[in-house]
Amino acid sequence: MFRVVGTRAALKAASAKLLHDTCTRHIHSTCDVAVVGAGIVGLATARELFLRHPALTFTLLEKEKELSMHQSGHNSGVIHSGIYYTPGSLKARLCVRGAALAYDYCDKKGLPYKKCGKLIVAVEQEEIPRLKALYERGLKNNVPGLSIVDAKGIREREPYCRGVMALNSPNTGIVDWRQVALQYGKDFEEAGGKVVTQYEVSDIAMVTESPAGGTEGLKYPIAIKDKKVPDPRFPFLGVHFTPRMDGSIWLGPNAVLAFKREGYKIYDVNVRDMADALAFRGLQKLVLRNISYGIGEMYRGIFIGAQVKLLQKYIPDLSRGDVLRGPAGVRAQALDRDGNLVDDFVFDGGTGDLGSRVLHVRNAPSPAATSSLAIAEMVADEVEGRFAL
């Protein structure tokens, strides 16, 4: 059997023995499965597993006081349709299915959303071939409702926008993903799952006997988040700009390197996180290949006027005074040592009695919120295959 060891953050600097003797909290003895990390993917996965295996007992562990406090609550709020991804890829399949599942879930649970649609606009004639290529890609991905519209069609859908042609995606929407994630958690608890907050998992250890006698622990611990991986994740900050004339519309985002893994402002810095990121060879290679683009993104992220100038190509009447700095979200994106963004799942486990019963989900393809229910299905399939639930 297993014991999951959790420690309070304020006591991290204490010795290992002191932590073990005074700060360790244990999960109840009847837990069959533990899911570590209560972001939207962890919550969706715990929910999916419990729905499939109601006879098992489940515990969901979260280091914060509340659920879904990080990336799941700091994002664009977009329900993506799946246009951009390579046809046949995991991203494309999960996004299209995930969007359909998300809309259906919100309808069943009475969660508010707006299927506002999206225009991908070409402002120059030379951009039209790329636009048509995106249209063909979206059709291959089975994105519903796609159409090409002309300049008149653009104005009919968005009076402030100008362009020569646009790809119209009516299935794109917006939703409060944290609200959705919290509903996943509610489903999990109502089904009988146990949620433990303020419980930061620092170790997973084998135990054979509880202090009171008998065995205790977990049959199938599942770690959704792992800090000790060979190729760490490096977050990118998405900065949004909000027009004063309509606070429900976000302009952007633009992507910049975040210097704090759990920072949600453009100026948030953690020296250790920053040093860890900059020392990674994969990030260095990515930066060198995209240095001009990266500098431009960071410049526009800092100076709103530069971003407005770019946006005026699409909305000529937009002025600097119309725009406020909006919220930012961190994208947890795995990067390999060659500087390539990892688009596929990365599952990791181990050997022996302990390692063979632990599954680390080190990368879940973006857009993870839109795809969360579809991702949960895939993770649950992997768990069932590995552990023969």
Side-chain angles (χ1 to χ4, degrees):
M1 291 296 184
F2 298 90
R3 179 174 63 208
V4 177
V5 179
T7 64
R8 292 187 181 278
L11 297 173
K12 282 183 179 179
S15 68
K17 186 176 186 306
L18 180 63
L19 284 173
H20 184 273
D21 291 345
T22 63
C23 313
T24 300
R25 294 193 288 154
H26 304 290
I27 313 174
H28 62 83
S29 60
T30 58
C31 176
D32 294 314
V33 179
V35 177
V36 182
I40 196 167
V41 173
L43 289 162
T45 299
R47 173 185 174 275
E48 178 68 20
L49 283 167
F50 210 163
L51 290 175
R52 294 189 188 192
H53 303 280
L56 296 179
T57 53
F58 291 79
T59 298
L60 180 62
L61 305 173
E62 168 57 41
K63 70 175 183 176
E64 304 294 356
K65 294 180 180 179
E66 299 178 33
L67 306 182
S68 188
M69 289 294 291
H70 292 292
Q71 184 182 354
S72 303
H74 297 83
N75 54 61
S76 66
V78 174
I79 303 173
H80 294 275
S81 63
I83 296 171
Y84 295 100
Y85 312 121
T86 303
S89 68
L90 198 59
K91 270 192 173 186
R93 298 200 309 272
L94 289 173
C95 185
V96 173
R97 174 162 176 74
L101 290 173
Y103 283 126
D104 184 58
Y105 182 81
C106 289
D107 286 336
K108 288 180 178 178
K109 298 295 180 177
L111 298 176
Y113 65 87
K114 184 177 182 181
K115 195 177 285 190
C116 54
K118 175 179 180 177
L119 287 176
I120 303 173
V121 180
V123 295
E124 306 288 348
Q125 288 292 331
E126 54 265 29
E127 294 174 338
I128 290 178
R130 282 181 288 166
L131 190 72
K132 290 183 175 179
L134 272 180
Y135 174 63
E136 294 298 327
R137 173 172 288 197
L139 292 180
K140 291 178 181 178
N141 288 341
N142 297 313
V143 176
L146 292 182
S147 64
I148 294 288
V149 298
D150 59 13
K152 181 182 177 182
I154 294 172
R155 290 192 298 273
E156 288 173 350
R157 289 165 175 80
E158 178 46 65
Y160 290 101
C161 187
R162 296 293 180 268
V164 294
M165 186 177 288
L167 173 55
N168 178 40
S169 173
N171 204 52
T172 301
I174 52 175
V175 73
D176 183 339
W177 282 118
R178 183 162 189 259
Q179 188 176 0
V180 175
L182 292 177
Q183 183 63 51
Y184 292 165
K186 184 177 180 181
D187 291 348
F188 176 72
E189 289 191 278
E190 288 179 347
K194 182 177 181 180
V195 175
V196 182
T197 57
Q198 290 184 279
Y199 192 109
E200 183 171 0
V201 174
S202 59
D203 194 14
I204 300 176
M206 292 287 294
V207 295
T208 57
E209 197 169 331
S210 71
T215 59
E216 66 169 16
L218 311 171
K219 293 180 181 178
Y220 311 103
I222 304 166
I224 293 298
K225 182 177 180 181
D226 183 17
K227 296 178 180 178
K228 299 176 181 178
V229 295
D231 291 344
R233 297 178 179 183
F234 293 100
F236 292 84
L237 191 68
V239 181
H240 300 86
F241 300 95
T242 305
R244 293 179 189 272
M245 54 190 175
D246 185 351
S248 67
I249 300 174
W250 286 354
L251 308 177
N254 60 340
V256 301
L257 180 66
F259 293 112
K260 184 178 181 181
R261 286 195 175 94
E262 293 178 352
Y264 306 107
K265 297 178 182 178
I266 193 169
Y267 301 113
D268 281 351
V269 175
N270 179 287
V271 175
R272 179 177 294 180
D273 289 350
M274 182 171 64
D276 189 23
L278 295 176
F280 181 54
R281 185 59 180 163
L283 180 63
Q284 295 169 10
K285 291 180 179 180
L286 179 70
V287 169
L288 288 174
R289 288 201 302 263
N290 301 277
I291 190 164
S292 296
Y293 179 80
I295 290 173
E297 286 285 276
M298 294 190 75
Y299 181 80
R300 288 188 294 272
I302 295 170
F303 299 102
I304 297 179
Q307 182 75 8
V308 170
K309 185 176 181 180
L310 176 64
L311 294 171
Q312 285 171 338
K313 291 171 55 180
Y314 306 93
I315 308 175
D317 294 337
L318 191 70
S319 68
R320 172 62 185 84
D322 293 324
V323 179
L324 300 171
R325 187 179 299 282
V330 171
R331 176 184 176 185
Q333 171 64 62
L335 192 67
D336 68 23
R337 295 185 184 277
D338 293 323
N340 302 310
L341 301 180
V342 181
D343 286 338
D344 212 338
F345 277 94
V346 178
F347 292 123
D348 213 355
T351 58
D353 290 338
L354 176 62
S356 63
R357 297 190 184 187
V358 177
L359 173 67
H360 298 295
V361 184
R362 286 173 38 204
N363 190 51
S366 175
T370 299
S371 308
S372 56
L373 291 174
I375 288 174
E377 292 176 337
M378 180 161 282
V379 175
D381 289 343
E382 182 74 13
V383 169
E384 290 175 336
R386 288 194 181 218
F387 303 145
L389 293 187

